[in-house]
């Protein structure tokens, strides 16, 4: 998506577009695997020898964020299958508890959900019910502080890391602006 917006008049731009094409070809050849249960999905990691690792991390870039980054539309069939895998227990970094569900990662360890992953979930879906679910999760994850945190414990929003995490709070603002523009009936 972004490469179409780049002027190709400079040598540097041409080199970057060529690199982007090479990376895309590699993703198409090696990064999409035919999983025996889920079918064609994006792997989190591959080694070029046919081995792969199915997971996702809460940060951006991530597999969940591919439409947000402009790599694929949010209705792409490989992306949708990948999304269903990484938003499930098939992803070793997806956690669910009494306080909510979402993706965490090795940065904070097992059981810690990153609101960033919940926001990316909202930014990459067109489904109104899922967006409302995301908004409810985000509201409760703030633990009444008025701010979003880096992560919270899957069974207690009152147990969290970083009182203020600018990246997550900025993504929340971005989600609200997107909804105000595209789906105002969900927030007003």
């Amino acid at each position: 998506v972004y490469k179409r917006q780049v002027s190709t008049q400079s040598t540097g731009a041409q080199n970057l577009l060529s690199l982007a094409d090479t990376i895309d070809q590699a993703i198409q050849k090696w990064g999409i695997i035919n999983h025996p249960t889920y079918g064609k999905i994006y792997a989190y990691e591959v080694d070029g020898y046919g081995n792969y690792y199915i997971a996702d991390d809460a940060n951006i870039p991530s597999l969940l964020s591919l439409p947000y980054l402009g790599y694929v539309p949010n209705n792409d069939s490989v992306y949708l299958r990948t999304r269903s895998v990484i938003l499930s227990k098939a992803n070793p970094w997806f956690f669910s508890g009494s306080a909510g569900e979402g993706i965490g990662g090795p940065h904070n360890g097992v059981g810690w959900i990153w609101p960033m992953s919940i926001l990316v979930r909202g930014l990459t879906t067109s489904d109104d019910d899922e967006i409302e679910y995301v908004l409810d999760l985000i509201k409760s994850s703030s633990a009444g502080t008025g701010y979003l945190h880096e992560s919270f414990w899957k069974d207690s929003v009152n147990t969290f890391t970083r009182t203020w995490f600018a990246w997550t709070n900025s993504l929340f603002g971005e989600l609200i602006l997107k909804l105000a523009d595209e789906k105002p009936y969900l927030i007003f």
Side-chain angles (χ1 to χ4, degrees), residues 89-159:
K89 293 188 189 275
N91 175 2
W93 297 109
F94 179 82
F95 307 111
S96 182
S98 58
E101 66 176 20
I103 300 170
H107 187 74
N108 285 16
V110 174
W112 292 92
I113 298 168
W114 283 46
M116 180 182 300
S117 74
I118 299 168
L119 290 164
V120 171
R121 183 176 179 174
L123 285 162
T124 57
T125 186
S126 300
D127 181 84
D128 289 358
D129 291 336
E130 186 172 15
I131 293 168
E132 287 178 339
Y133 179 66
V134 160
L135 292 172
D136 288 343
L137 280 174
I138 286 300
K139 182 179 178 184
S140 68
S141 80
S142 72
T145 65
Y147 299 111
L148 297 177
H149 313 294
E150 175 189 42
S151 67
F152 63 92
W153 182 245
K154 66 185 181 71
D155 294 317
S156 174
V157 294
N158 294 311
T159 306

Side-chain angles (χ1 to χ4, degrees), residues 28-123:
Q28 298 305 311
K29 182 175 181 178
W30 300 104
I32 297 174
I33 57 103
N34 193 9
H35 191 278
T37 303
Y38 307 109
K40 290 187 181 225
I41 62 171
Y42 292 103
Y44 184 72
E45 292 178 357
V46 297
D47 66 3
Y49 295 103
N51 300 303
Y52 54 83
Y53 178 53
I54 304 300
D56 203 17
D57 188 274
N59 284 310
I60 299 170
S62 64
L63 295 174
L64 186 61
S65 71
L66 291 177
Y68 174 79
L69 297 172
Y71 184 67
V72 296
N74 71 355
N75 62 354
D76 176 83
S77 61
V78 175
Y79 172 74
L80 289 173
R81 282 190 297 276
T82 305
R83 182 184 179 90
S84 69
V85 172
I86 60 179
L87 292 174
S88 76
K89 293 188 189 275
N91 175 2
W93 297 109
F94 179 82
F95 307 111
S96 182
S98 58
E101 66 176 20
I103 300 170
H107 187 74
N108 285 16
V110 174
W112 292 92
I113 298 168
W114 283 46
M116 180 182 300
S117 74
I118 299 168
L119 290 164
V120 171
R121 183 176 179 174
L123 285 162

